[in-house]
Amino acid sequence: MQRPVINVAFGIDQSYIPQLRVVMRSIETRNERNPLRFFVFHDGIDAASRAQVSTRRATIEWIQICDPVLLGFDAHRPSMSRATYFRLMIPRFMPPDVSRAIYLDSDLILQSDIAELWDFDLGAHALGAVVDAGLNPRDFAARYGLPAQGRYFNAGVLLLDVQKLRADQNFDHTIALLASNVYDYDDQDALNISFWNRWTSIPPDWNFQRNFLYEKFATWTALTRSAPRPKIIHFTDATKPWRRDEWHPLAWLYLKELRGAEFGLSLLRNAGIGFKTRLKWRLRWLLWNFRCFCRWNLGLQ
């Protein structure tokens, strides 16, 4: 039986070309069965940079954003750029034959087959996501006059029913909110307002955020009793695994993703990540695994 084509969308600017290549590589190495179709939303990446992005078997389609309203938005966090808004163009600019898509930020890596996420049932909703580990939904609801009973999602990994999004125009509503308001977390806040209590929760291992590590996994254990086995590692916040100051215990896995990639060594060299840093990150990863084993297998805190 022929397997479905998996459509994956990204939104980047010129500076994120190396990170895009890492994400694409992590997808391809873990999925050998499905045809893969990558869509890259951008604001004018030159031909030479596009030529650097190649895949073993996936097709890549480059979609340039020219909407003056969207290009006029500024990101309000130092670690973000206006490329964060490009995901809002998915229903409008995806080809008409695309009825379902996965959106991914470019500061993450896959650790499992993306087909598992693709097959997740959205039920009656047009959007699926993972709860955000760092924001209090009650405070957010009170601030924006939303019903108190609700959850706030992280927009770095989205499973989308593109057909429904085209019909209900909720992404257009999100753009309208951004045009008249300033939000702490930019389009993520606006998306949560638009989809408040109208989205499907995806298991948290599909968007393992940095905040899941804090306070002895407090947010993680509130969502699930299982040990963390991230299927997508999302390096949220300003520190990233292509910087020497990264402290994330799973940064070692990002380095492993670079092995065998022709651009991997140059990315590490440009960041000044040498042998000592790589050794430190590996030891930190081993220690994290040991702590997880003690907590979830031996019941030690």
Side-chain angles (χ1 to χ4, degrees), residues 253-274:
L253 297 178
Y254 195 91
L255 295 187
K256 285 181 67 178
E257 209 61 50
L258 298 177
R259 288 181 179 175
E262 72 280 4
F263 59 89
L265 287 177
S266 62
L267 186 63
L268 297 179
R269 185 166 53 249
N270 293 339
I273 299 174

Side-chain angles (χ1 to χ4, degrees), residues 16-269:
Y16 258 73
I17 287 289
Q19 290 77 14
L20 175 68
R21 297 172 76 182
V22 176
V23 183
M24 287 181 172
R25 190 170 189 269
S26 75
I27 295 171
E28 280 199 307
T29 55
R30 290 164 180 83
N31 181 288
E32 297 291 343
R33 303 173 299 167
N34 296 77
L36 297 169
R37 193 177 179 189
F38 294 152
F39 298 87
V40 184
F41 290 76
H42 65 99
D43 57 356
I45 294 175
D46 59 59
S49 297
R50 293 190 206 182
Q52 296 175 20
V53 183
S54 61
T55 61
R56 289 187 294 109
R57 58 188 185 84
T59 62
I60 304 176
E61 299 179 38
W62 298 84
I63 301 174
Q64 184 167 351
I65 302 298
C66 299
D67 186 282
V69 174
L70 207 68
L71 294 178
F73 294 155
D74 291 319
H76 297 98
R77 287 174 288 163
S79 61
M80 303 298 293
S81 74
R82 69 180 183 181
T84 185
Y85 301 109
F86 297 167
R87 56 188 156 204
L88 300 178
M89 292 287 104
I90 289 174
R92 192 182 301 181
F93 290 133
M94 276 285 205
D97 63 307
V98 173
S99 60
R100 188 177 179 92
I102 294 170
Y103 166 81
L104 297 176
D105 277 354
S106 296
D107 58 347
L108 54 78
I109 52 171
L110 276 286
Q111 295 292 289
S112 191
D113 187 347
I114 199 170
E116 297 176 46
L117 177 59
W118 180 262
D119 292 335
F120 193 82
D121 184 9
L122 287 175
H125 296 134
L127 182 149
V130 172
V131 169
D132 190 273
L135 194 138
N136 186 311
R138 287 187 174 274
D139 292 345
F140 183 82
R143 182 174 182 179
Y144 294 107
L146 302 169
Q149 296 301 319
R151 292 176 296 177
Y152 181 100
F153 60 82
N154 182 279
V157 177
L158 300 174
L159 179 59
L160 303 170
D161 186 323
V162 180
Q163 205 164 14
K164 285 183 180 178
L165 290 174
R166 291 188 184 115
D168 63 27
Q169 299 183 336
N170 270 327
F171 274 30
D172 289 337
H173 175 252
T174 302
I175 294 171
L177 287 174
L178 289 163
S180 56
N181 300 278
V182 175
Y183 298 104
D184 293 342
Y185 290 92
D186 302 313
D187 63 320
Q188 180 170 282
D189 280 355
L191 280 167
N192 271 278
I193 293 171
S194 296
F195 287 89
W196 194 252
N197 284 332
R198 294 189 301 113
W199 59 280
T200 299
S201 182
I202 293 172
D205 46 3
W206 282 109
N207 186 352
F208 190 84
Q209 305 148 52
R210 192 179 300 264
N211 281 322
F212 282 137
L213 299 168
Y214 299 157
E215 298 178 11
K216 298 181 178 180
F217 298 95
T219 306
W220 176 267
T221 54
L223 295 172
T224 177
R225 294 182 179 181
S226 63
R229 294 184 178 87
K231 297 180 179 180
I232 291 179
I233 304 170
H234 189 184
F235 296 96
T236 48
D237 296 341
T239 52
K240 303 293 183 184
W242 53 89
R243 291 175 40 170
R244 288 183 63 191
D245 60 351
E246 175 61 283
W247 57 265
H248 198 298
L250 301 181
W252 169 251
L253 297 178
Y254 195 91
L255 295 187
K256 285 181 67 178
E257 209 61 50
L258 298 177
R259 288 181 179 175
E262 72 280 4
F263 59 89
L265 287 177
S266 62
L267 186 63
L268 297 179
R269 185 166 53 249

